[in-house]
């Protein structure tokens, strides 16, 4: 059996970016796709193009803002919308499910869109900290299942200085504050693996370029889209690749897809 390819991509509106998303799926044919910032309700999600490509689709949508989705060539079971025990969260930022490829152990996959947190300090930053605490607690619970687990998405966290083109310029940004980076690092300390850095220890390796200031042309990027793997998933890790060429397409998202491949 071939490897299982799991992608994450903040598409910055699935309806506005539908031609680009469909074209990329036709080209790369990932088995599972975690989308963020779909920016539509569940009812308004454009299911048909993905159905035509052979994907099962589950969404956790929200009008105009946020929203996450899972696409899978396999049936999706045990679906969880929102972080358990964090019911007060009114924003659609988390969805998980379990897929069972033939001949492989089941794989639990989550698509998450962590809050931006700016300006910091302030209510948005406090919400980011609260969200990260709830997510961390849930991630710890998931580790106890000892499953092949992939937590994929836009974390809005720049883990290290090598993950940003100009570290001093980001010192006061909520994506790069020491308190935020420490919380991300705590996930690695309890057993999760940063798939990209396990496969590619070189810098830079950006996943986001702002629309403003010629960021793409000047390669002023940051790495905030991550796939964190449980120990069981890490044992099967084959590759992790950033598809930066998509940022050069017409009307692109400001993020690009990242694909991890797991061996059977």
């Amino acid at each position: 059996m071939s490897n299982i390819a799991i992608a994450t991509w903040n598409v910055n509106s699935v309806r506005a970016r539908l031609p680009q998303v469909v074209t990329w799926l036709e080209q790369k044919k990932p088995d599972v796709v975690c989308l963020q910032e779909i920016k539509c309700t569940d009812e308004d999600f454009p299911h048909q193009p993905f159905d035509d490509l052979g994907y099962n689709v589950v969404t956790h949508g929200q009008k105009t803002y946020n929203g996450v989705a899972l696409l899978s060539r396999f049936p999706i079971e045990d679906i969880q919308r929102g972080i358990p025990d964090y019911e007060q969260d009114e924003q659609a930022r988390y969805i998980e499910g379990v897929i069972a490829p033939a001949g492989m152990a089941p794989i639990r996959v989550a698509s998450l869109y962590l809050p931006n947190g700016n300006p910091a300090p302030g209510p948005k930053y406090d919400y980011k900290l609260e969200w990260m605490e709830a997510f961390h607690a849930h991630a710890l619970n998931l580790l106890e299942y000892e499953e092949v687990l992939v937590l994929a998405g836009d974390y809005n966290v720049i883990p290290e200085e090598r993950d940003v083109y100009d570290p001093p310029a980001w010192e006061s940004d909520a994506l790069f504050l020491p308190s935020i980076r420490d919380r991300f690092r705590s996930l690695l300390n309890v057993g999760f693996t940063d798939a990209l850095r396990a496969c590619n220890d070189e810098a830079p390796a950006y996943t986001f370029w702002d629309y403003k200031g010629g960021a793409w042309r000047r390669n002023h990027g940051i790495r905030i889209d991550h796939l964190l793997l449980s120990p069981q998933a890490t044992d099967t890790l084959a590759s992790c690749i950033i598809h930066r060429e998509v940022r050069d397409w017409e009307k692109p998202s400001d993020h690009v897809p990242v694909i991890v491949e797991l061996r059977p």
Side-chain angles (χ1 to χ4, degrees):
M1 181 180 179
S2 58
N3 293 342
I4 296 295
I6 301 174
T8 185
W9 192 4
N10 179 323
V11 292
N12 191 15
S13 177
V14 68
R15 291 183 295 177
R17 232 66 66 184
L18 188 59
Q20 292 87 342
V21 176
V22 168
T23 296
W24 186 77
L25 292 175
E26 290 173 337
Q27 289 181 1
K28 303 303 179 183
K29 299 178 173 58
D31 299 290
V32 180
V33 185
C34 304
L35 298 180
Q36 301 89 42
E37 274 203 280
I38 61 173
K39 293 185 177 180
C40 66
T41 63
D42 295 337
E43 295 76 16
D44 288 336
F45 188 90
H47 281 260
Q48 192 61 53
F50 303 108
D51 293 343
D52 293 344
L53 290 173
Y55 288 101
N56 299 286
V57 179
V58 294
T59 61
H60 182 33
Q62 179 180 337
K63 186 177 180 180
T64 308
Y65 301 103
N66 308 318
V68 286
L70 292 174
L71 317 178
S72 173
R73 296 191 183 279
F74 314 98
I76 307 171
E77 301 177 348
D78 197 16
I79 299 163
Q80 170 69 43
R81 291 175 173 86
I83 298 174
D85 301 322
Y86 189 39
E87 289 79 8
Q88 67 268 36
D89 190 15
E90 297 179 353
Q91 300 185 19
R93 293 183 173 274
Y94 184 87
I95 189 168
E96 77 177 51
V98 175
I99 63 167
M104 292 184 66
I107 302 173
R108 187 177 298 272
V109 181
S111 178
L112 63 106
Y113 177 44
L114 206 147
N116 179 287
N118 283 302
K124 292 183 178 180
Y125 178 68
D126 294 340
Y127 170 53
K128 182 171 190 170
L129 293 177
E130 182 181 89
W131 202 97
M132 293 185 81
E133 182 177 351
F135 173 63
H136 186 110
H138 181 52
L140 286 177
N141 288 336
L142 292 179
L143 276 182
E144 294 181 1
Y145 295 165
E146 297 186 352
E147 296 175 317
V148 177
L149 168 66
V150 180
L151 302 177
D154 177 358
Y155 280 72
N156 269 317
V157 177
I158 303 169
E160 303 177 70
E161 289 193 355
R162 58 178 172 164
D163 295 315
V164 54
Y165 72 93
D166 183 7
W170 289 77
E171 284 181 350
S172 61
D173 194 284
L175 279 65
F176 196 52
L177 288 173
S179 55
I180 298 301
R181 295 160 64 192
D182 287 347
R183 282 165 172 79
F184 181 86
R185 193 176 301 112
S186 69
L187 289 169
L188 306 181
N189 291 340
V190 298
F192 285 98
T193 295
D194 179 344
L196 189 281
R197 284 307 181 198
C199 296
N200 175 6
D201 204 37
E202 298 178 1
Y206 305 142
T207 63
F208 170 94
W209 296 261
D210 203 312
Y211 292 124
K212 297 177 292 185
W216 167 244
R217 176 178 52 81
R218 301 163 70 186
N219 198 29
H220 286 180
I222 58 178
R223 186 173 76 96
I224 55 176
D225 302 271
H226 311 298
L227 298 107
L228 297 190
L229 311 182
S230 67
Q232 293 76 17
T234 303
D235 287 344
T236 69
L237 176 60
S239 67
C240 186
I241 298 174
I242 298 171
H243 288 257
R244 58 176 286 142
E245 71 280 0
V246 179
R247 186 62 175 79
D248 210 28
W249 289 5
E250 184 179 358
K251 296 181 180 178
S253 170
D254 39 9
H255 298 250
V256 296
V258 187
I259 295 185
V260 66
E261 288 199 3
L262 305 180
R263 297 185 303 271

